[in-house]
Amino acid sequence: MLRLGYPATIAAEWLRDLPAGIELVPVSDKMDHDVEIDVWIPDPYAARAMRAWPRLRGVKLVLSMLAGTEWIPGTVGPHVTICNARGAHNISTAEWTLTAILAMLKYLPLYLDIQASGLWKRRFEASAHYARITADPRPMHPDVMQEELTGKTVLLVGYGAIGQEIERMLAPFHVQMLRVARTARATPPVHPVAELDRLLPQAEIVVLILPANPQSIGLIGRRQLALMRQGALLVNAARGPVVDTDALVQALQSGRIRAALDVTDPEPLPAGHPLWSCPNLIITPHIGGSTPQFTPRSLRVAADELRRYMNGEPLRNVVQAAVDRNP
Amino acid sequence: MLRLGYPATIAAEWLRDLPAGIELVPVSDKMDHDVEIDVWIPDPYAARAMRAWPRLRGVKLVLSMLAGTEWIPGTVGPHVTICNARGAHNISTAEWTLTAILAMLKYLPLYLDIQASGLWKRRFEASAHYARITADPRPMHPDVMQEELTGKTVLLVGYGAIGQEIERMLAPFHVQMLRVARTARATPPVHPVAELDRLLPQAEIVVLILPANPQSIGLIGRRQLALMRQGALLVNAARGPVVDTDALVQALQSGRIRAALDVTDPEPLPAGHPLWSCPNLIITPHIGGSTPQFTPRSLRVAADELRRYMNGEPLRNVVQAAVDRNP
C-alpha cells in the first residue's frame, strides 16, 4: 500500500479528500525514528519540513502545499519528483491585491489614524493628501476625501493564473488593463517584458504578480520607479526581491509614488528598517495566501496529483522531474 | 434667457457640460445683494447653501448635486420643484462598501498597527484574532492570517441603484446574495423587510444601503444585532440612524460582531464617544461619496435635468413637485 507522509500539524478532518487505499503517516520535525514513505506532503513552514527530512526514507514524490518550492530541490536532491500546489493561492492572493488597491485609493491608513484620534473633523486632511499625492491642482467641490478605482489604468506585471484572477476581480471597475509577461500573447494583448519601461508611465496602478527568478529579481529598480506617474500605486503581491528596496524607500520618501507590499526584501523586514516608516505605504507581513480555505484547497490539489500518480497518469504540476538513480 | 445659479466655489471648467443658451450666475453665501435666478444648484455643503438662500429671488427649480435632499424642502418651501442627483454616488459608495468589506476580512486595522510597530513577527496575532472572532476552533495549518470574501453570504438591506452597484462589484467573488427591500421582487429575489429577522442569521456580511425614513430608522436594533452570526460584519453605507448606536456599541464591545461605518448617529461623531474605541470596527467619517469624479458626474446629472426642463420634457429625479402658488 502506498504510504503518504503528511504534516502531523494538520487535523484529520482535512485529509478526507485524499484517495482511498493509501496509508497516512503523520510526519513531525520532532520524530525520534525514521519513517518509510513513498510520497511526502511537507509542512508549509519550510524550516519545520527541512528538520523532518533527515528522518524520511524512500520518498519518490514531493507534493508541496505551496506555489513556491524554492527550498525543496536543494533538500531532497535530484532523484525525487516535486510538484507544487498550482492554483491554491489564486483566490486569496487576488483578493489581497484588490484589498490593497482599494485601501490605498480610499486612504484607509489616514482614516484609521483619524479613528484612533477620535476627531471627525480631521477628515479634511484627506483633501490635502489628494492634492499632494496626485499633484492635481484643480479645485474640487465638495472636498475630495478618497479616490476611485473605476476607470483607472492598471498594469499587470506577470500574467499567470493569479494575474488572470486579479484581472477577473478588477472587471467590474472598468479599468483599462495593460499586461506584461515573459511570454507575449495576442489575445488578450500581453506585452513582452522588454516593453515594461514604455508602459509604466501609462499606469496609475502597477501590480507585480510574477515568479521570482534571475530575470525578475530587481526588475523594478530606480529607473522603473522614476517612470511611474506621480502618485501611482505599486502593488507587490509577488516576491520582495523583484523590487529594489533602496530605490523604493527613496521613491516613497520623496512623495513620488504609493506602494502596498505583502512581500519585502529582506523578509522578514527587520525592526528599524526604513521601509516600515515610509509614507503612502501599506505593508502586510506576507499574509496574502493564508486564509482558512488554504489547507483544504491545497490538499485538494495534492489529492488530485496523488490520484494521477497512483493511476500512472502524467502529473500536472511538476516543477522538478526525478533524475533516475541508475540511468 | 434662463438664469442658473451655481456654487461660486465650483471652478468654471466643471460647467462645460451645461446646456448652451443659459446665463451662469455664481452664488455664494457671502453675497451682499439679491440675485434673480430661475434654477438653483445649491452648494453641496448644506450650511453654506442655506446661508445663500435668502439672497435668491425667482427660483422655480432646485437641482441638488447630492442624492440626499433632506434640508431643501424646509428651506425653499413647497412652491419650488426639487430634483436630486440620482446615480451620482453609485460608483463611489459601492467602491467604499467593497473596500470596507475586504479591509475587515483581511484584518487591515491589525496589519496597519503591526506596520506602525515595525514588528513582523506580530503577524501571528492574526491567527488568535481569527479563532476569537469567528469562534472557529479547528486547527488550521498554516496559521490563518486573514479571511476570504469568496463564497461568503452577503445580505443587502436596500436594493436601489447603489445596492445593485454593490452586487455588481461583488459578482467576481461568487458570494451568495440575499436581498431585502421595501418592495419585494421575484427576479432577482428581493424579500420584503418583514423577512429581515429570518435572513439575518444566514449572512456573514450585512450591508445597509437604504434611504433614511421613518420605516428605516432604528431598523437594526438590539434584536437584529443579536440575530447576526458570531463574527458577522455589519456595513453601514446608508445613514447613521438606521442602526441603534447603543446596541451596536454593546455588540462590538462583547466581541459578537464586526462593523464598518461610513455614517454614524450622532454625526459627526463627537470626541470621546464610545464608538470611536470599539474593537473590530472601522469608522470612516462620511467620505463614501467624495471622490474627484463626484463634481463632474453630479453636474452631468444636473445638466441632463436642465436640458429636459428647458425643452419642457418631464424631469427624471423629482423628489418634490412644486405646489402652484395660485391654484
Side-chain angles (χ1 to χ4, degrees):
Chain A
M1 190 185 273
L2 184 134
R3 291 171 59 90
L4 171 71
Y6 71 95
T9 40
I10 290 185
E13 65 176 297
W14 301 119
L15 305 172
R16 285 181 301 229
D17 291 338
L18 293 174
I22 57 175
E23 187 179 340
L24 290 170
V25 182
V27 168
S28 141
D29 59 339
K30 298 185 179 65
M31 295 185 306
D32 56 1
H33 57 283
D34 290 0
V35 291
E36 180 82 27
I37 56 175
D38 303 291
V39 181
W40 183 34
I41 298 177
D43 195 296
Y45 289 116
R48 225 185 260 162
M50 290 166 87
R51 282 197 300 271
W53 170 252
R55 290 295 190 185
L56 304 183
R57 298 283 170 263
V59 173
K60 293 154 205 76
L61 172 65
V62 174
L63 299 176
S64 171
M65 289 176 69
L66 303 173
T69 55
E70 292 91 335
W71 65 273
I72 305 180
T75 300
V76 305
H79 306 297
V80 174
T81 295
I82 302 170
C83 296
N84 74 354
R86 189 178 142 81
H89 297 295
N90 293 4
I91 288 175
S92 52
T93 307
E95 283 197 3
W96 177 88
T97 303
L98 261 282
T99 308
I101 293 171
L102 286 168
M104 194 53 98
L105 292 180
K106 303 297 174 196
Y107 305 171
L108 273 202
L110 171 63
Y111 289 119
L112 292 179
D113 187 57
I114 290 177
Q115 181 178 352
S117 73
L119 296 172
W120 185 279
K121 64 179 180 213
R122 278 186 58 204
R123 72 196 197 122
F124 291 101
E125 292 175 21
S127 311
H129 175 67
Y130 170 76
R132 204 165 46 232
I133 193 69
T134 64
D136 182 350
R138 297 176 303 173
M140 298 281 177
H141 192 69
D143 300 275
V144 171
M145 301 276 176
Q146 41 121 335
E147 296 167 51
E148 289 183 15
L149 171 54
T150 297
K152 290 235 178 339
T153 298
V154 178
L155 171 59
L156 276 181
V157 183
Y159 199 60
I162 304 181
Q164 291 169 44
E165 187 73 16
I166 292 170
E167 178 166 327
R168 202 178 61 74
M169 291 184 186
L170 284 170
F173 301 98
H174 305 298
V175 296
Q176 170 84 19
M177 291 297 310
L178 300 170
R179 305 168 197 86
V180 159
R182 204 157 30 168
T183 317
R185 276 181 256 179
T187 327
V190 180
H191 300 271
V193 177
E195 291 185 37
L196 177 63
D197 288 7
R198 183 179 69 77
L199 295 170
L200 278 168
Q202 298 177 36
E204 286 147 317
I205 297 162
V206 177
V207 177
L208 307 177
I209 186 64
L210 70 178
N213 56 41
Q215 289 77 49
S216 68
I217 287 175
L219 185 68
I220 305 297
R222 203 168 303 276
R223 175 177 161 75
Q224 285 68 36
L225 295 172
L227 284 168
M228 286 176 68
R229 288 193 192 184
Q230 172 63 41
L233 169 62
L234 179 71
V235 180
N236 193 352
R239 285 290 180 261
V242 174
V243 179
D244 174 340
T245 299
D246 290 346
L248 177 62
V249 167
Q250 214 165 46
L252 288 167
Q253 284 176 343
S254 71
R256 273 271 300 128
I257 64 162
R258 305 182 252 195
L261 313 174
D262 190 43
V263 290
T264 58
D265 177 32
E267 185 177 315
L269 196 64
H273 192 286
L275 202 54
W276 283 118
S277 48
C278 282
N280 305 312
L281 172 67
I282 292 175
I283 300 175
T284 59
H286 207 148
I287 53 108
S290 306
T291 68
Q293 285 72 30
F294 170 76
T295 301
R297 202 177 275 151
S298 186
L299 288 176
R300 267 198 301 277
V301 177
D304 184 61
E305 207 73 319
L306 196 58
R307 214 167 279 117
R308 290 164 180 277
Y309 182 73
M310 293 166 73
N311 296 339
E313 296 168 20
L315 302 177
R316 296 179 75 165
N317 307 316
V318 174
V319 293
Q320 170 182 293
V323 175
D324 250 349
R325 269 173 215 277
N326 309 303
Chain B
M1 192 185 272
L2 184 134
R3 291 171 60 89
L4 172 71
Y6 72 94
T9 40
I10 289 185
E13 65 177 298
W14 301 118
L15 305 172
R16 282 181 302 231
D17 291 337
L18 292 174
I22 58 173
E23 187 178 341
L24 290 170
V25 182
V27 167
S28 140
D29 59 340
K30 298 185 180 66
M31 295 186 306
D32 56 2
H33 58 282
D34 290 1
V35 291
E36 180 82 26
I37 56 175
D38 303 291
V39 181
W40 182 34
I41 299 177
D43 195 296
Y45 288 116
R48 223 185 262 162
M50 289 165 88
R51 283 197 299 270
W53 169 252
R55 290 296 191 186
L56 304 183
R57 299 284 171 262
V59 174
K60 293 154 206 76
L61 173 64
V62 174
L63 300 175
S64 171
M65 289 175 70
L66 304 172
T69 54
E70 293 92 335
W71 65 273
I72 305 181
T75 300
V76 305
H79 306 297
V80 175
T81 295
I82 302 170
C83 297
N84 74 353
R86 189 178 140 81
H89 297 295
N90 295 4
I91 289 175
S92 51
T93 307
E95 284 197 2
W96 177 89
T97 303
L98 262 282
T99 308
I101 292 171
L102 286 168
M104 194 54 98
L105 293 180
K106 304 297 174 195
Y107 305 170
L108 272 201
L110 171 63
Y111 289 120
L112 292 178
D113 187 57
I114 290 176
Q115 181 179 350
S117 73
L119 297 173
W120 186 279
K121 65 181 178 210
R122 279 187 58 205
R123 71 196 198 121
F124 291 102
E125 293 175 22
S127 311
H129 175 66
Y130 170 76
R132 204 164 46 231
I133 193 68
T134 63
D136 183 350
R138 298 176 302 174
M140 298 281 177
H141 192 71
D143 300 275
V144 171
M145 301 276 176
Q146 40 120 337
E147 295 167 51
E148 289 183 14
L149 171 55
T150 296
K152 289 235 177 341
T153 298
V154 178
L155 170 59
L156 276 181
V157 184
Y159 199 60
I162 305 180
Q164 291 169 43
E165 186 73 18
I166 292 170
E167 178 166 327
R168 202 178 61 76
M169 291 183 186
L170 285 169
F173 301 98
H174 305 298
V175 295
Q176 170 85 17
M177 290 298 310
L178 300 171
R179 306 169 197 86
V180 158
R182 205 157 29 168
T183 318
R185 275 181 256 179
T187 327
V190 180
H191 300 271
V193 176
E195 292 186 35
L196 177 63
D197 288 8
R198 183 179 69 77
L199 295 170
L200 278 168
Q202 299 178 34
E204 286 147 318
I205 297 163
V206 178
V207 177
L208 308 177
I209 187 64
L210 72 177
N213 55 41
Q215 289 77 49
S216 69
I217 287 175
L219 186 68
I220 305 296
R222 203 169 304 276
R223 174 176 160 76
Q224 285 67 38
L225 295 172
L227 285 168
M228 287 176 67
R229 288 194 190 184
Q230 172 63 41
L233 169 62
L234 178 71
V235 180
N236 193 352
R239 285 290 180 263
V242 174
V243 180
D244 175 340
T245 299
D246 290 347
L248 178 62
V249 166
Q250 214 165 46
L252 288 167
Q253 284 176 344
S254 70
R256 272 269 303 126
I257 63 162
R258 306 182 251 196
L261 313 174
D262 190 42
V263 291
T264 59
D265 178 31
E267 185 177 315
L269 197 64
H273 192 286
L275 201 54
W276 283 119
S277 47
C278 282
N280 304 312
L281 172 67
I282 292 175
I283 299 175
T284 59
H286 206 148
I287 53 108
S290 306
T291 68
Q293 285 72 29
F294 170 76
T295 301
R297 202 177 275 150
S298 185
L299 288 176
R300 268 199 300 277
V301 177
D304 183 59
E305 207 72 320
L306 196 58
R307 212 169 279 117
R308 289 164 182 278
Y309 182 73
M310 292 166 74
N311 295 339
E313 297 167 19
L315 303 177
R316 297 180 75 165
N317 307 317
V318 174
V319 293
Q320 170 182 292
V323 175
D324 249 350
R325 267 174 217 275
N326 310 301

